[in-house]
Amino acid sequence: MSEASRPKNVVVLGSTGSIGESSLKVARDLPGRMRLVGLAANRSAESLAAQINEFGIKEGCLFDPTGLDQVRAKVSGNVALHSGEEGLVALATLPEADLVLIAIVGVAGLKPALAAIEAGKDIAVASKEILVMAGETVMSAARRKGVKVLPVDSEHNAIFQCLEGRSPDQVSRLILTASGGPFRTLPAADLSGVTVERALKHPTWEMGKKITIDSATLFNKGLEMIEARWLFDIGMDRVDVIVHPQSIVHSMVEFVDGSVLAQLSTTDMCFPIQYAVTWPERVSNRLPPLDFAALARLDFEAPRWDDFPALRLAKEAGSTGGTLPAVLNAANEIAVSAFLEGHLSFPGIWNTVERTMALHRTATHPSLEEIIEADRWARETAASQLTRT
Ligand code: MG
């Protein structure tokens, strides 16, 4: 049997989250291309057990060990069940796995990602933290081991498709598109009155809570700028953002000859997930095609750099590099949780991040330990800054 005709054996870390659910949809749609061999969830014992049973999975992991008995009681057949960080690493390094899709929110995906690379697996990255916090480390490890880092985020997947392996010196700009979030047209003076409920209503994408708030503040785009810088080995000064409310053009690449390539599709995460799994091939599916006549128009506008400081902060973190992106990321996580719990105003999110970044002493070319320490420091520092907003 040739390589291309054998389904790829895929492990999904974060299988019960929104990206995880979409990746299972792709697996259902393309059984001849994608075979799930391991699934890991954080706390959703019932959903994980149901997924394990549906796909006949032999290796599962529930990060929170307290729910493990609940999973065990529900799964049928002989299933090895793991928990905690060791469990995620065990799944990320399963001998039969070809590709490890990492869709865990937060820092927890970092060690499994590096373990997968060391074990010679390609990784598909949906967790922003991996490349934001440790982009330099992850990409150099991947180069050393000769494995691929495939982007699942719609913007980076679009750029990956437009680049088709071209070298960075042929690129003049990466242009990330941003929906602009629910407050794209809200006057700056009204941002302080934004409620949790309003911030959770995203105009185009159905996503988890953390990422929905991040797209309202534009921190999501800021984190993506940093990710793009590392994924494609492009200086931060060549990573640009354009607001595109319809979210149909998922991102673009401007080449040195002035030509721009864009990737378009309907707004469904199954598109980028499928491309990461079937790459370098394209295969047909049951996803809805684009109807240009129905769309009629695509709009573009400049981002509001002054009203949404997240972009500027991310640009600063990405240009400085070292431990600063990890600090931005961790401070933002703390601030978003505080906002969701009603302890912080909407602008308080970026104010907290900015103050935490200002207090940080950046270490250059950090080790993994230094990155994790910077993350810990930033969480503690950001928490101590919350009350001041
Ligand atoms: Mg995105």
Side-chain angles (χ1 to χ4, degrees):
M1 211 198 294
S2 79
E3 265 299 296
S5 61
R6 176 175 78 79
K8 244 178 226 174
N9 287 338
V10 180
V11 166
V12 178
L13 305 183
S15 62
T16 57
S18 88
I19 298 287
E21 297 276 7
S22 294
S23 63
L24 266 57
K25 256 165 82 182
V26 174
R28 270 181 213 111
D29 194 19
L30 304 175
R33 290 284 173 168
M34 180 176 183
R35 183 173 157 253
L36 295 168
V37 293
L39 297 177
N42 183 16
R43 260 189 301 250
S44 311
E46 297 247 342
S47 311
L48 179 66
Q51 292 177 343
I52 286 174
N53 288 337
E54 180 189 348
F55 289 94
I57 303 291
K58 295 285 169 245
E59 301 273 346
C61 171
L62 192 72
F63 188 78
D64 175 5
T66 60
L68 216 49
D69 285 342
Q70 212 185 328
V71 181
R72 198 164 284 127
K74 292 251 156 89
V75 296
S76 42
N78 194 12
V79 182
L81 290 173
H82 311 258
S83 69
E85 190 172 78
E86 319 86 80
L88 294 176
V89 169
L91 260 69
T93 57
L94 277 186
E96 63 269 37
D98 301 309
L99 176 69
V100 180
L101 195 158
I102 303 154
I104 308 173
V105 177
V107 62
L110 190 49
K111 278 194 181 163
L114 286 165
I117 292 170
E118 289 306 324
K121 317 287 185 195
D122 289 341
I123 61 171
V125 178
S127 313
K128 296 216 155 52
E129 291 78 8
I130 292 168
L131 290 165
V132 169
M133 295 177 66
E136 199 179 358
T137 313
V138 166
M139 294 311 288
S140 71
R143 271 190 293 270
R144 180 166 46 78
K145 297 297 290 188
V147 302
K148 268 278 168 192
V149 177
L150 300 151
V152 165
D153 209 352
S154 62
E155 293 80 358
H156 304 89
N157 192 271
I159 292 171
F160 182 71
Q161 294 193 40
C162 296
L163 278 174
E164 286 199 306
R166 280 175 206 283
S167 73
D169 59 11
Q170 295 178 43
V171 173
S172 70
R173 263 193 314 160
L174 303 180
I175 307 167
L176 294 162
T177 52
S179 72
F183 310 124
R184 181 173 58 88
T185 58
L186 192 73
D190 296 342
L191 287 172
S192 56
V194 161
T195 60
V196 171
E197 198 192 7
R198 282 182 69 198
L200 284 176
K201 279 203 184 104
H202 191 274
T204 42
W205 292 100
E206 267 293 336
M207 302 175 294
K209 273 186 186 178
K210 159 74 167 54
I211 191 170
T212 303
I213 299 301
D214 283 348
S215 34
T217 57
L218 299 196
F219 264 113
N220 183 54
K221 210 49 55 182
L223 295 170
E224 288 176 357
M225 290 167 80
I226 301 171
E227 279 185 281
R229 183 257 171 278
W230 291 114
L231 251 177
F232 305 113
D233 196 18
I234 295 276
M236 208 60 193
D237 56 328
R238 287 192 287 157
V239 180
D240 213 346
V241 174
I242 189 85
V243 171
H244 167 46
Q246 292 94 348
S247 302
I248 294 294
V249 175
H250 298 303
S251 277
M252 301 177 269
V253 178
E254 183 187 76
F255 292 94
V256 288
D257 60 3
S259 280
V260 176
L261 295 188
Q263 185 265 337
L264 294 73
S265 72
T266 50
T267 53
D268 188 325
M269 284 306 292
C270 290
F271 284 99
I273 292 167
Q274 172 177 328
Y275 191 71
V277 171
T278 65
W279 177 87
E281 291 176 57
R282 292 190 182 272
V283 301
S284 60
N285 56 33
R286 286 194 291 244
L287 295 171
L290 264 184
D291 181 346
F292 283 96
L295 273 173
R297 56 185 282 180
L298 298 173
D299 297 306
F300 298 94
E301 62 197 41
R304 293 162 61 191
W305 289 87
D306 293 337
D307 300 336
F308 293 88
L311 296 177
R312 171 176 55 80
L313 293 171
K315 208 155 192 158
E316 183 193 327
S319 312
T320 306
T323 45
L324 199 55
V327 166
L328 171 138
N329 174 67
N332 178 53
E333 253 186 71
I334 295 297
V336 170
S337 306
F339 171 72
L340 286 170
E341 286 160 18
H343 304 318
L344 193 63
S345 72
F346 187 65
I349 298 174
W350 54 73
N351 291 335
T352 301
V353 174
E354 182 154 32
R355 277 204 294 271
T356 307
M357 282 172 68
L359 290 168
H360 184 62
R361 293 179 60 162
T362 301
T364 49
H365 305 298
S367 64
L368 188 60
E369 290 67 36
E370 286 176 297
I371 292 168
I372 289 167
E373 170 53 24
D375 173 87
R376 191 207 57 77
W377 174 89
R379 281 166 203 280
E380 196 180 283
T381 307
S384 76
Q385 296 297 310
L386 293 173
T387 50
R388 292 190 43 214
T389 306

